[in-house]
Amino acid sequence: MTTLKNKSIIDIEDLSIEEVNSILDLAETYSKQNRQRNVPYNKLQGLGLINVFFENSTRTLMSFELAGKKLGMHTVNMSVSNSSLQKGETLRDTIKTLESMLADVIVIRHSQNGVIKMIDDMVDCCVINAGNGTNSHPTQALLDALSIRNKLGTLKGIKVAICGDIRHSRVARSNIKLIKMLGGDVNIIAPKELIPSGIDNWGVSVFNDMDEGIKNCDVIMMLRLQMERMQETKISDKQAYHKLYGLNHERLENAKKDVLVMHPGPINRGVEISAELADDAERTLINYQVEMGVAVRMACLDLLTTKKQK
Ligand code: NCD
């Protein structure tokens, strides 16, 4: 197994293919142990994990907490809204305070691009990016890759359609990098106003027509309209949006018969995906992705702290 050369996980491009495969292989083992409820519960005993989330989260926060606890870490979640940041303490002083408590890993989600890298440069402990602005969400890409690998055997030679609010999506950016690194191709599908500038340099095919874009794809990844990040772009008519860019059983008729339907969550029913399709466990991997999220985060915590383990 390849251990990780960097002390932290900040972005997909910082990882080598060997490191990615190491994370996915170990995560696969943990996913099996999770189902059998027989994880080695004291593997990371004595190590401290602090989750610091400046943006809302259900899946990512809970899965990091559970991942740490399953492996025996002292896991705590800092409540940003009740912290001394509200008394005017700087982010730097807050992070230095957490490091002084001998945190071994700090997991951070932050809305401002670049902040997590800056924090990583400030501390000696491991840092994991749990979603940074519109730029990066490496552990989401890793759990999506694991979900695909488990279902299709490989990402080599596959075609993935990523559809929806690409412009504001860190999930799309990290997934594109990882899918391409593992040998897959990507179709981007979105209305013009949700396609980011500079897309020509991303090495993807761009479609404005959804039926065209999903044709011949092995995977369709749907994305939420991230209203909280929209400044000048406004999509006001959600029904009209669903008609053109929503996924439902009818539209799936135009795709490959066994196409995998994915969504990182949270979903907005009736907007990017119909309620009926979201509830159709035979056709979507939404809950499976959440399950793989715990396993991937366990693998990341384990591989990053190898040197500190007893
Ligand atoms: C995503 C995120 O926060 O970037 N959610 C997640 O981590 N599962 C996607 C989103 O918020 O739409």
Side-chain angles (χ1 to χ4, degrees):
M1 190 183 302
T2 313
T3 53
L4 306 184
K5 65 178 184 309
N6 294 331
K7 76 171 174 75
S8 297
I9 298 179
I10 306 299
D11 217 335
I12 289 296
E13 59 262 39
D14 304 332
L15 297 166
S16 65
I17 294 201
E18 292 72 30
E19 289 176 321
V20 166
N21 285 330
S22 229
I23 294 171
L24 299 183
D25 290 346
L26 183 58
E28 195 179 325
T29 305
Y30 277 135
S31 71
K32 289 180 186 146
Q33 292 178 348
N34 282 341
R35 283 210 170 183
Q36 293 157 0
R37 310 288 194 275
N38 72 347
V39 175
Y41 62 87
N42 55 0
K43 182 95 198 282
L44 307 190
Q45 199 168 34
L47 300 182
L49 164 63
I50 304 184
N51 289 314
V52 188
F53 278 54
F54 290 86
E55 285 185 344
N56 295 340
S57 172
T58 299
R59 282 149 272 266
T60 310
L61 176 59
M62 290 300 103
S63 62
F64 266 114
E65 180 173 3
L66 206 49
K69 285 183 167 157
K70 274 174 179 282
L71 293 167
M73 298 181 90
H74 301 294
T75 305
V76 288
N77 300 336
M78 187 178 105
S79 162
V80 169
S81 59
N82 293 322
S83 73
S84 291
L85 282 156
Q86 309 304 329
K87 299 182 187 169
E89 184 172 59
T90 64
L91 178 58
R92 184 175 195 284
D93 290 340
T94 300
I95 296 295
K96 281 290 184 193
T97 302
L98 300 178
E99 193 185 26
S100 306
M101 294 175 190
L102 304 182
D104 296 287
V105 184
I106 299 180
V107 175
I108 309 176
R109 169 170 286 194
H110 200 283
S111 60
Q112 209 182 319
N113 287 329
V115 162
I116 299 180
K117 169 80 183 95
M118 196 186 78
I119 289 172
D120 183 41
D121 291 340
M122 241 153 59
V123 295
D124 292 327
C125 66
C126 307
V127 173
I128 302 180
N129 173 357
N132 194 188
T134 53
N135 255 359
S136 52
H137 195 352
T139 60
Q140 179 69 42
L142 288 162
L143 76 89
D144 288 337
L146 179 65
S147 305
I148 298 172
R149 196 178 87 160
N150 285 351
K151 297 294 174 186
L152 301 180
T154 180
L155 276 80
K156 223 191 181 96
I158 68 162
K159 199 181 257 297
V160 180
I162 307 183
C163 181
D165 185 1
I166 311 294
R167 181 164 173 186
H168 304 99
S169 176
R170 53 194 177 210
V171 174
R173 285 171 178 76
S174 286
N175 258 304
I176 290 167
K177 287 176 191 161
L178 187 56
I179 292 163
K180 285 165 55 74
M181 186 197 270
L182 295 174
D185 274 329
V186 179
N187 285 357
I188 287 302
I189 308 167
K192 283 197 177 63
E193 60 270 36
L194 294 180
I195 302 233
S197 57
I199 192 104
D200 295 346
N201 304 322
W202 289 18
V204 295
S205 308
V206 180
F207 294 83
N208 299 124
D209 182 293
M210 186 158 179
D211 295 311
E212 270 302 307
I214 62 174
K215 226 189 267 170
N216 304 322
C217 285
D218 304 286
V219 180
I220 304 174
M221 249 179 220
M222 298 306 298
L223 298 173
R224 182 176 66 89
L225 288 174
Q226 290 144 95
M227 298 298 188
E228 72 278 18
R229 290 197 240 284
M230 291 187 191
Q231 275 142 13
E232 66 274 30
T233 329
K234 292 271 175 284
I235 304 277
S236 43
D237 188 343
K238 306 245 172 77
Q239 261 179 337
Y241 179 84
H242 182 77
K243 254 204 163 101
L244 290 174
Y245 294 101
L247 194 61
N248 48 40
H249 284 102
E250 196 188 336
R251 178 154 271 142
L252 268 186
E253 303 280 320
N254 299 322
K256 270 191 182 175
K257 198 171 126 296
D258 296 323
V259 66
L260 303 180
V261 176
M262 302 176 70
H263 193 309
I267 60 170
N268 284 156
R269 290 167 175 261
V271 184
E272 75 277 8
I273 188 165
S274 70
E276 295 74 23
L277 182 57
D279 289 333
D280 185 349
E282 303 270 294
R283 300 270 8 212
T284 85
L285 294 188
I286 300 173
N287 294 333
Y288 186 70
Q289 288 169 263
V290 175
E291 183 184 342
M292 291 308 109
V294 178
V296 155
R297 282 151 187 149
M298 289 166 78
C300 290
L301 291 171
D302 188 346
L303 289 171
L304 275 184
T305 59
T306 311
K307 283 192 208 112
K308 296 186 170 195
Q309 291 167 33
K310 281 190 253 126

